[in-house]
């Protein structure tokens, strides 16, 4: 019998200590892959993706979070491992929906796809006389023009071919400027990567979808990174002379111009932040803020002037209307257990991170001085709550623009004494002194072990809770935001077949391709009317809608479109109940004034008969009444 006791083991953890952090990461990703292969999204309930996810997803998220925390705390681990865990987090957070759903999410993303398609079709920008309210997108065309060029470059039919992956791509765009900002104030890897983790976990607002805001926010962080790193350390503008100043001015100008021509709100947020830095003497160079203000005002006074001239009276009246940011009522109140749970999960997540940030500022006195510029730009967006309600969304945008700083200081609350750039040498000296001190007595050792447990397991529980809370906050409304292939096919073929000048009537705009052909097709969403008119529709659906839809002459037609996406949005946002909206559909279906021209499991299309048409005339049928591939009735 051979004695194997003296043979070296095939695998030894001591031989490959650098690979140990890979095990939780690989296990988490394996659990995630298993989860997405065994998750059924064909029937979403009011809790969205939360209840649909396979349990292995939650196990993978817990393993990933724990692996990240123990890895980032260990100074012996290579610096690339925290980055790998953050990338794993982004995949699990932002790629899950792209993998699970066969069609892109979110009606507003489909709207932006319609703007790009119109830009490609029209061949240029148009005025309000030509396309009405949609001309606002032609007055801030940067994002859409770039996407139109990308569509042509890739040779795809539309941006819908890749926009499902935009949340992941736009989150990756934020990573580099975020790291630059944090590294301006500390070299403590624990603080940097924990702040990055908390930023992505707390960024549930959803502005990472296919939108100008997603790119403009990355440009905003890029400008702040340049300004803080250029001026943050010395406070005098740094070295490099006039040539260096000119180079940085060019960089800032390019970033600001790209932002200004793409989005209305982000440049204003940037101006507020840069002004706060200058006025509070966090840096002394007026070039960044002057450059931003000049470019912003120049665009507002030229290309954006038609929109601003019409909107200015309402904007002035909105100043001071703080209540508009928390407005509740018809169409703006979460309704049902799922919608309420999602709303409270998001509130608790944001509130907890804000409280952690306050605790971090209090616990880490060195940051109150060394990271004061970051603290200033964190608080700078708050006055915007008074300036405008931004369609009741300003509170969410303010939270998003505060989040980079909030996440940094919240991370400081989860860590023991952090090291800043100025304090690095002092920390090294303190470490050397501790090595020469005699060991603690037994009682002190017990207290140290107890303190160690609290410092390790307490923050880990906080990270686990926050990371788990992100899922309902971000994906809890997927019943509203997901449109199965049948719904996309139904709406798409309607707009393909509808003659120019036709009218499409729907309950609300929550359906894919809602703005398709907006240059030639009119839209009417009756739930956005005064409540008194909505009540008239509920009392006599077919009669009232037929009156509203009359006046469309041949060859144009008037269509009533009903989809499951409209039903979900109406129910979960406190508009009409499912019974009321189904009653509208049943009334239209039973009325001789309408005829069914398309139907599948996701909805139906009815056409208003012309007065001269006989009641028995059959419709041509826009869409086959069959199931589409890849989805199911919800």
């Amino acid at each position: 019998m051979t004695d194997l006791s003296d043979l070296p083991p095939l695998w030894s953890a001591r031989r490959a200590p650098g690979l140990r952090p890979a095990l939780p990461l690989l296990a988490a990703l394996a659990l995630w892959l298993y989860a997405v292969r065994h998750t059924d999204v064909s029937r979403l309930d009011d809790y969205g993706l939360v209840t649909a996810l396979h349990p292995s997803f939650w196990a993978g998220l817990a393993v990933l979070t724990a692996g990240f925390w123990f890895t980032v705390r260990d100074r012996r681990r290579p610096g690339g491992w925290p980055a790998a865990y953050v990338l794993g987090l982004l995949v699990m957070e932002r790629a899950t929906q792209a993998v699970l759903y066969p069609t892109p999410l979110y009606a507003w993303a489909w709207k932006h796809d319609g703007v790009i398609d119109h830009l490609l079709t029209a061949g240029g920008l148009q005025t309000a006389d030509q396309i009405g309210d949609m001309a606002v997108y032609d007055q801030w065309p940067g994002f859409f023009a770039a996407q139109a060029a990308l569509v042509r470059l890739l040779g795809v039919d539309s941006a819908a071919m890749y926009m499902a992956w935009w949340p992941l791509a736009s989150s990756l765009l934020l990573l580099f400027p975020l790291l630059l900002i944090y590294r301006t104030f500390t070299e403590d890897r624990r603080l940097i990567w924990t702040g990055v983790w908390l930023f992505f976990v707390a960024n549930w607002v959803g502005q990472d979808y296919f939108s100008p805001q997603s790119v403009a926010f990355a440009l905003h962080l890029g400008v702040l990174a340049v300004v803080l790193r250029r001026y943050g350390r010395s406070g005098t503008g740094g070295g490099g002379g006039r040539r260096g100043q000119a180079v940085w001015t060019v960089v800032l100008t390019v970033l600001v111009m790209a932002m200004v021509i793409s989005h209305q709100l982000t440049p204003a947020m940037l101006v507020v932040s840069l002004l706060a830095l200058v006025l509070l003497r966090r840096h002394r160079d007026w070039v960044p803020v002057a450059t931003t203000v000049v470019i912003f005002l120049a665009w507002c006074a030229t290309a954006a002037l038609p929109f601003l001239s019409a909107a200015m009276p309402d904007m002035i009246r909105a100043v001071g209307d703080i209540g508009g940011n928390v407005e509740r009522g018809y169409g703006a109140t979460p309704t049902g257990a799922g919608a309420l749970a999602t709303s409270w999960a998001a509130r608790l997540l944001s509130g907890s991170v804000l409280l952690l940030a306050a605790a971090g500022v209090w616990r880490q006195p060195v940051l109150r001085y060394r990271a004061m510029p970051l603290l200033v730009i964190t608080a700078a967006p708050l006055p915007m709550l008074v300036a405008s309600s931004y369609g009741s969304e300003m509170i969410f945008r303010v939270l998003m623009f505060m989040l980079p700083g909030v996440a940094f200081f919240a991370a400081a609350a989860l860590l023991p004494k952090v090291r800043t750039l100025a304090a690095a040498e002092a920390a090294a000296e303190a470490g050397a002194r501790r090595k020469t001190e005699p060991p603690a007595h037994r009682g002190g050792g017990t207290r140290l072990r107890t303190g160690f447990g609290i410092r390790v397991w307490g923050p880990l529980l906080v990270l686990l809770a926050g990371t788990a809370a992100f899922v309902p906050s971000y994906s809890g409304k997927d019943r509203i935001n997901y449109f199965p292939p049948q719904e996309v096919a139904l709406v798409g073929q309607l707009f393909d077949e509808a003659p120019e000048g036709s009218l499409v009537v729907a309950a609300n705009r929550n359906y894919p391709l809602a703005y398709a052909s907006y240059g030639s097709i009119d839209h009417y969403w009756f739930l956005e009317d005064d409540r008194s008119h909505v009540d008239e529709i509920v009392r006599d659906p077919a009669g009232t809608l037929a009156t509203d839809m009359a006046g469309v002459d041949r060859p144009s037609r008037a269509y009533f479109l009903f989809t499951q996406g409209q039903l979900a949005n109406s129910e979960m946002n406190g508009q009409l109940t499912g019974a009321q909206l189904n009653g509208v559909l049943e009334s239209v279906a039973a009325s001789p004034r309408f005829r069914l021209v398309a139907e599948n499991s996701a909805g139906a299309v009815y056409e208003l008969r012309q007065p001269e048409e006989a009641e028995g005339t059959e419709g041509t049928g826009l869409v086959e009444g069959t199931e589409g591939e890849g989805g199911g009735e919800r």
Side-chain angles (χ1 to χ4, degrees):
M1 187 174 190
T2 304
D3 183 7
L4 303 179
S5 60
D6 293 332
L7 294 179
L10 295 176
W11 174 263
S12 173
R14 292 183 179 180
R15 290 191 173 190
L19 297 180
R20 198 176 299 172
L23 299 179
L25 177 60
L26 293 175
L29 292 177
L31 289 167
W32 173 75
L33 286 172
Y34 183 85
V36 297
R37 288 177 61 87
H38 293 83
T39 295
D40 180 14
V41 296
S42 62
R43 294 179 181 273
L44 295 175
D45 60 19
D46 285 356
Y47 293 89
L49 195 57
V50 178
T51 52
L53 283 167
H54 191 273
S56 59
F57 176 89
W58 301 100
L61 205 60
V63 170
L64 184 78
T65 306
F68 166 79
W69 178 241
F70 286 108
T71 299
V72 80
R73 289 183 68 259
D74 191 345
R75 296 190 180 98
R76 297 171 299 175
R77 301 302 177 194
W81 284 115
Y85 273 92
V86 167
L87 293 177
L89 176 70
L90 291 179
V91 168
M92 294 185 71
E93 281 187 345
R94 263 73 181 187
T96 298
Q97 293 165 313
V99 174
L100 288 176
Y101 298 127
T103 57
L105 288 175
Y106 205 36
W108 284 87
W110 286 94
K111 176 181 181 179
H112 296 153
D113 179 49
V115 175
I116 296 165
D117 182 68
H118 177 77
L119 187 60
L120 289 168
T121 304
L125 307 180
Q126 294 182 293
T127 64
D129 295 337
Q130 297 168 298
I131 53 175
D133 292 341
M134 294 298 290
V136 64
Y137 294 100
D138 286 40
Q139 293 167 34
W140 278 274
F143 173 81
F144 304 106
Q147 293 300 325
L150 183 59
V151 167
R152 288 277 175 84
L153 180 65
L154 296 176
V156 296
D157 293 334
S158 70
M161 303 297 292
Y162 58 82
M163 67 186 186
W165 293 93
W166 196 259
L168 177 60
S170 63
S171 297
L172 291 173
L173 285 177
L174 299 176
L175 184 56
F176 181 63
L178 194 64
L179 288 173
L180 288 180
I181 291 172
Y182 290 172
R183 285 182 62 84
T184 302
F185 304 104
T186 181
E187 290 181 348
D188 191 331
R189 188 185 67 181
R190 301 168 305 161
L191 179 56
I192 292 171
W193 286 107
T194 305
V196 170
W197 184 280
L198 286 174
F199 171 83
F200 286 117
V201 162
N203 190 18
W204 60 265
V205 175
Q207 292 304 311
D208 55 359
Y209 75 103
F210 187 71
S211 65
Q213 174 73 91
S214 64
V215 176
F217 187 45
L219 294 170
H220 171 84
L221 290 185
V223 172
L224 291 180
V226 170
V227 171
L228 290 173
R229 289 188 70 82
R230 171 67 174 161
Y231 307 99
R233 294 185 180 180
S234 65
T236 61
R242 293 183 178 179
R243 182 177 179 181
Q245 183 79 358
V247 170
W248 286 115
T249 301
V250 170
V251 172
L252 288 173
T253 301
V254 171
L255 294 175
V256 171
M257 285 185 65
M259 182 195 315
V260 166
I261 67 175
S262 298
H263 198 246
Q264 304 96 326
L265 178 64
T266 307
M269 289 288 193
L270 181 60
V271 168
V272 169
S273 297
L274 295 180
L275 274 175
L277 285 173
V278 171
L279 295 177
L280 295 177
R281 301 182 66 82
R282 293 301 101 189
H283 72 81
R284 302 176 183 178
D285 200 313
W286 282 82
V287 171
V289 65
T291 301
T292 304
V293 169
V294 169
I295 296 174
F296 184 35
L297 292 181
W299 187 263
C300 291
T302 53
L305 186 59
F307 169 80
L308 293 175
S309 298
M312 191 58 68
D314 291 335
M315 294 170 65
I316 294 174
R317 283 194 295 269
V319 174
D321 183 18
I322 301 178
N325 290 292
V326 291
E327 184 179 0
R328 287 288 183 267
Y330 172 67
T333 302
T335 304
L340 288 172
T342 296
S343 177
W344 277 105
R347 294 179 189 179
L348 291 174
L349 177 57
S350 296
S352 299
V353 175
L354 288 168
L355 288 175
L356 276 176
V361 173
W362 176 74
R363 286 191 67 242
Q364 308 284 359
V366 67
L367 293 181
R368 292 201 292 268
Y369 170 75
R370 184 65 189 86
M372 179 57 72
L374 185 56
L375 191 60
V376 168
I377 62 175
T378 300
L382 287 172
M384 297 297 288
L385 290 171
V386 180
S388 173
S389 67
Y390 203 65
S392 299
E393 288 190 3
M394 184 60 78
I395 188 170
F396 303 114
R397 306 302 176 95
V398 166
L399 175 63
M400 183 178 71
F401 282 93
M402 292 176 63
L403 194 54
V406 167
F408 179 84
F409 292 108
L414 299 180
L415 297 168
K417 186 176 181 180
V418 298
R419 301 186 308 276
T420 63
L421 293 176
E425 185 177 347
E429 293 176 358
R433 286 196 301 270
R434 282 195 297 270
K435 290 181 180 179
T436 62
E437 293 176 355
H441 56 78
R442 291 183 179 273
T446 302
R447 287 194 296 272
L448 286 174
R449 286 195 295 271
T450 303
F452 174 80
I454 294 175
R455 290 196 303 269
V456 172
W457 297 106
L460 175 57
L461 292 176
V462 172
L463 284 180
L464 286 170
T467 305
F470 170 85
V471 180
S473 303
Y474 186 78
S475 306
K477 291 187 176 180
D478 279 7
R479 184 189 166 212
I480 294 176
N481 297 329
Y482 168 55
F483 310 113
Q486 299 97 318
E487 190 165 349
V488 177
L490 181 75
V491 179
Q493 199 142 355
L494 164 62
F495 286 111
D496 287 342
E497 300 290 339
E500 185 174 348
S502 294
L503 172 67
V504 175
V505 175
N508 53 52
R509 62 187 77 194
N510 191 61
Y511 52 92
L513 301 165
Y515 291 84
S517 305
Y518 62 81
S520 58
I521 303 294
D522 291 329
H523 301 78
Y524 166 51
W525 300 288
F526 63 81
L527 288 184
E528 296 182 6
D529 265 354
D530 293 336
R531 186 58 197 257
S532 59
H533 187 66
V534 175
D535 291 338
E536 290 179 21
I537 293 175
V538 172
R539 287 193 296 268
D540 180 18
T544 307
L545 287 173
T547 301
D548 292 340
M549 297 165 65
V552 179
D553 299 324
R554 282 193 177 277
S556 303
R557 309 295 290 177
Y559 300 97
F560 174 72
L561 172 66
F562 178 88
T563 64
Q564 292 299 312
Q566 298 172 51
L567 179 65
N569 186 78
S570 179
E571 284 185 320
M572 295 183 67
N573 284 324
Q575 293 177 320
L576 296 183
T577 65
Q580 289 174 316
L581 205 52
N582 280 315
V584 173
L585 176 64
E586 292 169 2
S587 175
V588 169
S591 171
R593 303 179 69 177
F594 292 87
R595 61 183 173 193
L596 177 68
V597 294
E599 184 179 33
N600 63 22
S601 63
V605 179
Y606 289 85
E607 180 184 319
L608 179 68
R609 298 180 187 274
Q610 296 288 343
E612 68 275 10
E613 291 178 327
E615 291 185 4
T617 301
E618 294 294 334
T620 57
L622 299 177
V623 182
E624 295 293 333
T626 57
E627 297 291 335
E629 275 187 28
E633 184 179 358
R634 287 179 296 160

